[in-house]
Amino acid sequence: MQVLNCSTKLLLLEKMLKSHFPESLKVYGAVMNINRGNPFQKEVVLDSWPDFKAIITRRQKEAETDNLDHYTNAYAVFYKDVNAYRQLLEEHGVINWDQVFQIQGLQSELYDVSKAVADSKQVDVKLASFKAACLPPISTADTSFLMNSSVQLTYLSIADVDLLNQTWSRGGNEQCRRYIANLISCFPSVCVRDDKGNPMSWSMTDQFATMCHGYTMPEHRRKGYNRLVILMLARKLQSQGFPCQGNILDDNTTSINLAKSIHSDFLPCRFHRLILTPPAFSGQVHP
């Protein structure tokens, strides 16, 4: 195991990961954020350098942690050799198996290999799998329908955290509330507000440079706000050099149709999110 903390090598790694798109996208997003101030206190672990076969991004050991916070205790994975990934998982000190955490990646063997190692440690694994999509370059977004209204196009603030925690399908708990607050503080977001400043529609960016929690309040749906938010956030990310990636559940036909309408590319690989729970925290974990 090597921890890659040389800024020059991290910039080189960022370039190297581009040649392994789309499977490397989650690690690539994490590395981009590390190279741009590292607001989420991440680090890169790999089997060797520069001829690596497996990479894991993780929270820095010195960062403050909550053992129930699988939102923040998140690892992104990319491997060229699945056996090298297995060996990293098994190596002492790479993963903190004593807390609830998640593993993200875009490769088909991720679940089976992770579960095999987790089973040997009596750690429970729950899998969620999504369609993965990338947006094409966005040059313009039609905002003309906002011209004669009191609606404001802006961004999310810490004052919006409780609403976002309540409306996110993965939310409703203190760990998620704190995670959302950190995302808002660290990464780009877009929000449409009414004349009183209340959020109507929004989306934000996570620690892996993925667009997430796209949501429109029920009373404001079918007005084009979600489409506008996605396009504006994509433009913002692209202007900073980030890829525009998102994950969509298979049964979310509304989001799938929206993605198609803005010419998103559905990737040949799927996004996998594993939530791992050691026996000490069984029954205490939110999805």
Side-chain angles (χ1 to χ4, degrees):
M1 174 189 74
Q2 294 186 36
V3 177
L4 198 67
N5 47 29
C6 167
S7 59
T8 302
K9 292 178 180 178
L10 284 165
L11 286 169
L12 178 58
L13 175 62
E14 182 179 317
K15 294 179 181 178
M16 295 167 72
L17 288 168
K18 280 188 174 182
S19 64
H20 298 287
F21 282 179
E23 289 85 0
S24 64
L25 270 169
K26 298 301 174 184
V27 168
Y28 178 76
V31 171
M32 283 195 75
N33 282 323
I34 291 171
N35 288 335
R36 288 153 182 78
N38 200 12
F40 238 68
Q41 297 178 275
K42 294 283 189 178
E43 64 185 10
V44 173
V45 178
L46 28 67
D47 63 320
S48 59
W49 177 262
D51 298 319
F52 64 86
K53 295 179 181 178
I55 301 177
I56 297 176
T57 65
R58 67 182 184 186
R59 188 90 159 154
Q60 290 175 335
K61 291 293 184 72
E62 59 269 24
E64 185 178 345
T65 186
D66 173 348
N67 285 333
L68 282 172
D69 183 5
H70 65 78
Y71 307 94
T72 304
N73 305 332
Y75 300 76
V77 171
F78 169 70
Y79 51 81
K80 302 175 187 176
D81 179 340
V82 70
N83 290 320
Y85 169 55
R86 180 193 295 269
Q87 291 170 11
L88 266 186
L89 275 184
E90 293 173 336
E91 187 169 340
H92 177 74
V94 174
I95 303 290
N96 183 352
W97 294 94
D98 295 324
Q99 62 181 193
V100 185
F101 64 96
Q102 65 172 284
I103 296 175
Q104 295 193 7
L106 290 157
Q107 290 170 280
S108 58
E109 305 100 333
L110 182 69
Y111 173 70
D112 288 340
V113 172
S114 303
K115 189 175 188 308
V117 177
D119 285 348
S120 72
K121 301 176 181 293
Q122 289 78 53
V123 171
D124 179 68
V125 182
K126 286 187 170 54
L127 169 68
S129 183
F130 304 74
K131 293 180 182 294
C134 280
L135 273 72
I138 307 297
S139 57
T140 60
D142 183 12
T143 60
S144 60
F145 68 98
L146 302 179
M147 295 294 289
N148 297 318
S149 74
S150 55
V151 169
Q152 311 164 53
L153 184 61
T154 178
Y155 46 84
L156 292 165
S157 76
I158 295 300
D160 304 319
V161 167
D162 287 334
L163 177 62
L164 269 66
N165 191 27
Q166 293 164 12
T167 52
W168 202 0
S169 59
R170 299 178 58 205
N173 58 81
E174 180 54 35
Q175 286 81 18
C176 187
R177 185 187 187 282
R178 186 168 57 241
Y179 175 64
I180 290 170
N182 288 336
L183 293 185
I184 291 172
S185 299
C186 294
F187 304 122
S189 65
V190 170
C191 179
V192 175
R193 299 180 185 273
D194 63 20
D195 57 354
K196 296 180 180 177
N198 299 311
M200 300 162 59
S201 182
W202 62 82
S203 185
M204 57 185 181
T205 316
D206 75 7
Q207 56 194 307
F208 304 111
T210 305
M211 293 189 290
C212 64
H213 194 8
Y215 189 87
T216 301
M217 298 296 286
E219 63 270 26
H220 297 296
R221 292 175 184 171
R222 300 186 181 277
K223 298 178 182 178
Y225 295 138
N226 193 20
R227 179 188 180 90
L228 175 63
V229 163
I230 296 301
L231 290 175
M232 294 303 291
L233 182 55
R235 284 185 64 190
K236 186 179 290 191
L237 288 169
Q238 289 173 353
S239 71
Q240 298 176 19
F242 287 91
C244 297
Q245 52 174 320
N247 313 310
I248 308 174
L249 285 167
D250 292 303
D251 60 358
N252 190 341
T253 54
T254 299
S255 292
I256 291 171
N257 289 335
L258 173 60
K260 289 179 179 177
S261 75
I262 56 179
H263 309 293
S264 297
D265 295 320
F266 286 89
L267 304 181
C269 50
R270 291 180 63 81
F271 167 64
H272 306 288
R273 183 180 68 232
L274 286 56
I275 297 178
L276 297 93
T277 307
F281 299 109
S282 179
Q284 302 179 51
V285 181
H286 298 278

